[in-house]
Amino acid sequence: MWSSFDYSGEDEVDIPPWTGSMLRLPYNVDVSDSYDMDKESVAYIGRENPITYYGTQKGIGMTLNTDVNAEDKETVYALRRLAIWPGDVYVREPSGNGYKATINVSISKKHRDLVIPVTLDVTRVESDEP
């Protein structure tokens, strides 16, 4: 369900507060973590096997799968808004693992189904913001 978020605490801060929106999926969410290390295997003449060079990128990501009730129009609307969002988002999954990420949303609605399968492909990104 989508809801406005506006921090309006009484304490003054040097950094201005931010506003945004939050999507909460109140359904059973299946989580699949993925890791894609930055590496390259290079074959050299005279060697039986290639040499592997490792970079600094960890390639952390996850895939979140859930079924949204077809009658839950607010959540479907929020997912469609998220699907076209051009910036980074903060993602937190049920076990508490969360980070700044880019996100791809896939929604598959069939005309007679009572649930809408949703897949969120999440890729962690670096960010200077908290």
Side-chain angles (χ1 to χ4, degrees):
M1 121 193 294
W2 175 85
S3 62
S4 292
F5 178 80
D6 187 6
Y7 173 80
S8 55
E10 295 177 13
D11 49 332
E12 289 293 320
V13 292
D14 293 335
I15 302 169
W18 59 276
T19 60
S21 57
M22 179 172 52
L23 169 65
R24 182 176 172 271
L25 294 174
Y27 307 101
N28 293 330
V29 178
D30 299 324
V31 180
S32 176
D33 289 324
S34 64
Y35 302 91
D36 185 17
M37 295 288 291
D38 178 17
K39 64 183 176 295
E40 183 176 351
S41 296
V42 179
Y44 289 102
I45 295 176
R47 289 197 178 254
E48 236 177 83
N49 299 302
I51 304 272
T52 307
Y53 296 99
Y54 291 91
T56 58
Q57 303 297 309
K58 295 179 183 175
I60 297 172
M62 66 179 151
T63 301
L64 305 172
N65 291 303
T66 190
D67 292 327
V68 176
N69 185 337
E71 299 294 319
D72 189 354
K73 305 229 183 285
E74 287 185 29
T75 301
V76 173
Y77 171 72
L79 285 164
R80 288 188 173 139
R81 284 186 61 208
L82 179 60
I84 61 171
W85 178 251
D88 296 335
V89 298
Y90 182 78
V91 178
R92 182 178 299 269
E93 49 100 347
S95 70
N97 188 22
Y99 41 77
K100 198 77 150 182
T102 60
I103 192 163
N104 292 324
V105 180
S106 298
I107 302 171
S108 177
K109 169 90 170 84
K110 295 188 179 178
H111 68 282
R112 287 192 173 190
D113 286 350
L114 300 177
V115 295
I116 302 171
V118 175
T119 300
L120 305 174
D121 288 316
V122 179
T123 304
R124 185 174 184 167
V125 296
E126 287 292 323
S127 176
D128 293 334
E129 298 174 13

